[in-house]
Amino acid sequence: MKKRGYGIGSMWYGIGSTAATNPSGAFVDFLDDGTAIVMSGCADIGQGSTTVLAQIAAETLGVGLEDVVVITADTGMTPDSGPSSASRQTYISGNAVRLAAEKAREQVIAKAAEMLDLDPGEIRLRDGQVWYEEEPAGKTMIEVIAQCRGEGILTLGHGTFNPATTKLDPATGQGVPYATYAFATQIAEVEVDTETGIVEVKKIVAAHDVGAAVNPQNVEGQIEGGCSMGVGYALLEEVVVDGGEIKNPGLSSYLIPTALDMPEVFPMIVEAQEPSGPYGAKGVGEPALVPTAAAIANAVADALGIRLYDLPLTPERIVAAIKAAASSQHE
Amino acid sequence: MSETCVVGKSAPRVDGPAKVSGKSQYGADIDIPGALFLKVLRSKTPHGMVKRIDVAEALKIPGVVRVFTHADVPGENSYGIIVKDQPALTDQVRFRGDALALVAAETEEAAKQALEVIKVEIEELPPLYDVWSAMAEKAQAIHAKGNILTVSRVKKGDAAAALRTAAVVVSRRYTTQRVEHSYIETEAGVAYMDNGILVIKAGTQNPHYDRRDVSRVLGLPMHKVRIIQAATGGGFGGKLDISVQCFLGLAALKLGRPVRMVYDRRESIAATGKRHPFLVEYTSAADREGKLLAVKAKIIGDTGAYASYGPATLNRAAVHATGPYEVPNVDIEALCVYTNNPFSGAMRGFGTPQMAFAAESQMDLLAQELELTPLEIRRRNVLRPGSLTATGQRLDHSVGISATLEAAWEKAGRVMPGLGGEVK
């Protein structure tokens, strides 16, 4: 018999290393033609951080995304931006890039204010133009940067950001381990075959508070990828170790989800703006996965009326749990 | 003017065209003419002292240039992001997978042949495969300071008193498994000397950390080591540790020739970190209205032979153990324990997916006891602006858990018709 069930998994996740300094640095070189080079130590491992950093730099400098090149993760060229871990790069390196770009921008604004005899506090850079009170002020950014060069001013900026945390008391763990937290709720729908013990995850609704999505499609990609990893964690994956030896060191025996195992995922972006984040952003990389197995386990318990306490929820374990429940009813 | 132009837009990935057209250079794609191939001899013994490594036969194989052992490591032969407990090439074996020797050869085939004929004599020690025997009082210490690496505690209020008087108390024991990251790309890279600077190009999640430990192990000043991240095909935490970097650096430095190496899938799985298996004893208590009164949990994580990110994983697990809920009384203890198993390290979530499984199961169990819906018990307990976390941190802003709960519920009601408006 196939039984359907639904389960909720909620989570919180502190952005950045726990109760530890974890700074990031960035350089921005605002060039003569209004394009820019960003240098960041942040390693893009497929999660899309280079794109996100380019967007933050372009936004801050008032130029197009195509006007920004980001050089990353080369200790000979880029400052230390810390690890691509702890869902920290958008928040921490994003802030470092934003601050570096602001420093470069300030110099252009200061020069524009001088050239146009305007209050620098009211000047904005946007679309390659200098803006004053919602209107182009009559100078292009290229003209202003050229003036800077003529006076021997390089429009460079550097930025560093270290999240505001404290150490934790070793006896009580009290303190401020993270500057901000991401939150999420996922709801899973499963179908459990009570004869075979096979669980099919049909749908996952995944609502994630990321602060603000710098790149919504990228956030959705992270959420979908996280759900796939969570399906594997909940149902399939286990490195079998016997006598200290891994018995399934290959992808023919260590099974991860394929496209056929994937549920329909409904990613939802919730934006509870983080004032200390770059343009309100927090992070999503790990949160995407964190509640998935929990939601699936709760859905399986809902379907069967029997709860399992050991991951993964393999067919063998599910069949055994159903049999154990049936025999305890007979007693 | 306040609206953003570029931020908040689904801009195409800047690295997309190179990746989809196959032009990105991953560690294994970088072709350096004349590069030697490197292979690692790994221990099949779980625990013991290396008495002798005889490489004479290996050196006779045509094409084999050099075989390195622990005796050839010029700097401090230990690395690790948190605890410097892992040797690049070891004279003390702590798991089936420890690196004993590094072969450099003109061809991959010659390097592989050399691995077959290196003779290693190991004086075996009794292995410890589970956290309980590792924690036993008279257990053989796998590392000098003993097998309990760290104990993280989070304590707030009086959990014991709350548990005595609460209307509902639920206690359960949870276990979670060891998991492989399964990134598409295995560990790979190249290294060469460039005008006196050692250059290493490899897949990594943290090039600046790599520089610190390569510099330490090779005894080079930091400015003489340059780490360049090659295009990296996924990491999920598994490429935060040193893998090929020290091997590449040692061989390039000592031989003055470019070198390359690639882990095959088997080596990648056997020799790099895993998600920590957890054992969690979890007790939750609530009042009749379903308000959480206390959470008490003991968490034990098997970090295997080396610390890697183990202390950070167990610490984060302790800090997040309550789930996204306001709990006035908290008593959490999380132990990170060495064993002779393959080592565990960082993996997406750092101990929190394990804890979410336990904490969210507990919430549903409490709901069941109180005849509340899973939705309702969460609504009554989620963190809100002004809430205090388990570590006593006041959350003032950007606390979107309630918004995600309501948004997910509303959406689920529409796309999951069987939900019937309420989770049972």
Side-chain angles (χ1 to χ4, degrees), chain B residues 15-61:
Chain B
D15 54 331
K19 282 186 173 151
V20 297
S21 62
K23 293 194 176 106
S24 292
Q25 293 272 295
Y26 294 84
D29 297 326
I30 303 167
D31 188 22
I32 301 182
L36 297 170
F37 289 81
L38 305 183
K39 286 278 171 198
V40 179
L41 178 68
R42 295 190 177 278
S43 172
K44 295 185 175 70
T45 305
H47 198 194
M49 304 304 290
V50 176
K51 290 293 151 196
R52 207 168 62 92
I53 302 179
D54 179 355
V55 303
E57 290 300 313
L59 290 173
K60 287 182 194 158
I61 294 171

Side-chain angles (χ1 to χ4, degrees), chain A residues 14 33 41 78 100 120 161-162 192 225 241 285 297:
Chain A
D33 61 355
T78 64
F161 184 82
N162 184 45
V192 188
V241 175

Side-chain angles (χ1 to χ4, degrees), chain B residues 102-169:
Chain B
L102 175 70
V103 177
E106 301 285 352
T107 64
E108 195 172 8
E109 198 43 49
K112 280 183 180 169
Q113 283 175 20
L115 297 184
E116 304 294 320
V117 297
I118 298 171
K119 295 185 192 76
V120 184
E121 219 175 278
I122 295 175
E123 188 180 300
E124 293 194 27
L125 293 167
L128 298 164
Y129 293 136
D130 69 87
V131 290
W132 301 112
S133 41
M135 289 191 295
E137 213 161 297
K138 286 183 181 157
Q140 170 92 41
I142 296 166
H143 292 274
K145 287 181 182 166
N147 296 336
I148 299 177
L149 175 57
T150 53
V151 182
S152 301
R153 293 185 181 88
V154 178
K155 288 180 198 294
K156 186 176 76 162
D158 187 344
L163 289 173
R164 276 196 301 275
T165 55
V168 187
V169 176

